[in-house]
Amino acid sequence: MSSQQPSDEPVYADRTYRSSMGFVSGVLLLALTVWLCGDAVLRGSGNTPWIGLAVALCVVPLIVAFTIRPAVFANEDRMRVRNPFRIIELPWAAVDAVRAGYSAEVLAEGSKYQLWSVPVSLRERKKANRQQMRRKAIDRRDPGSAGDPTARGRASASAASEPMRADADRIVDELQGLAELNAARPGAQGSVRVRWSYEIIAPALIGALLLIVLIATR
């Protein structure tokens, strides 16, 4: 019996990048939605319970799409970007660049795809830049500290050699490094594939249409 994996499955374990703050926010919003809509279903009268169900059907997929769902998976062959309504698979050979300006994005085959799970914080970036400037100023004032043979001197030199980076910039650099390192691999060849996430889109649209009908017929 052949043990060969399907060609569309990752061969190597994925690195996963997602926003922990977005995940926590999504869980809290889901709990709030379930509480409010559940109360409407259990205690409402007339068509209020149906409105509560329609709201839940519409809102829950959207909350999941924008908070819990976004993630980036990267292995030695490709990067898979899971955005709110699309999944983009990008073999490393097809990636032109991964960059972070006001948002994190990947350029491939003339198109630009945003990385929803890697939010760019300008405040965090400015904080990291200030810390780097402080370290450079300290190094200029005490240039011999990097050669200190004591443990404290070695720790100081190690810290100075690893500048502070904003999380989004660090992740983008890692992804860009993976793209450059693995672009020539046989398994990293191919074109970009985009798939719409109908499992998110369909229930949200059905819930919205049902809500419109219920409100119009009250």
Side-chain angles (χ1 to χ4, degrees), residues 77-79 89-95 108-109 187-193:
D77 287 339
R78 67 179 184 267
M79 174 169 61
E89 292 193 6
L90 306 105
W92 290 124
V95 173
E109 298 181 346
Q189 309 306 307
S191 58
V192 177
R193 293 190 297 174

Side-chain angles (χ1 to χ4, degrees), residues 10-174:
V11 177
Y12 299 93
D14 288 345
R15 301 184 188 185
T16 303
Y17 304 92
R18 65 169 74 243
S19 171
S20 56
M21 183 63 67
F23 186 88
V24 172
S25 300
V27 171
L28 294 176
L29 287 173
L30 284 176
L32 180 62
T33 301
V34 170
W35 175 50
L36 293 176
C37 294
D39 184 71
V41 171
L42 295 175
R43 301 186 181 184
S45 59
N47 62 354
T48 299
W50 293 105
I51 291 177
L53 288 174
V55 170
L57 185 60
C58 177
V59 171
V60 168
L62 295 179
I63 293 175
V64 172
F66 285 99
T67 59
I68 297 175
R69 176 181 172 82
V72 173
F73 306 94
N75 58 37
E76 292 181 299
D77 287 339
R78 67 179 184 267
M79 174 169 61
R80 183 162 59 96
V81 180
R82 193 171 68 191
N83 281 343
F85 301 117
R86 294 192 300 177
I87 295 177
I88 305 105
E89 292 193 6
L90 306 105
W92 290 124
V95 173
D96 299 321
V98 186
R99 65 188 186 186
Y102 292 104
S103 63
E105 55 195 21
V106 56
L107 306 179
E109 298 181 346
S111 299
K112 179 171 64 177
Y113 306 98
Q114 188 173 357
L115 308 181
W116 280 77
S117 66
V118 187
V120 173
S121 171
L122 298 181
R123 180 178 179 182
E124 184 183 8
R125 182 180 288 167
K126 290 179 180 178
K127 181 179 178 181
N129 290 339
R130 286 196 299 268
Q131 290 179 343
Q132 289 185 44
M133 293 177 64
R134 290 196 198 101
R135 288 185 175 183
K136 290 179 181 178
I138 292 173
D139 289 343
R140 285 196 297 268
R141 289 197 299 268
D142 189 10
S145 62
D148 192 337
T150 65
R152 180 176 299 178
R154 288 195 298 270
S156 176
S158 176
S161 66
E162 298 177 0
M164 296 292 296
R165 299 294 307 281
D167 284 343
D169 295 331
R170 176 182 56 79
I171 292 172
V172 163
D173 285 349
E174 288 182 12

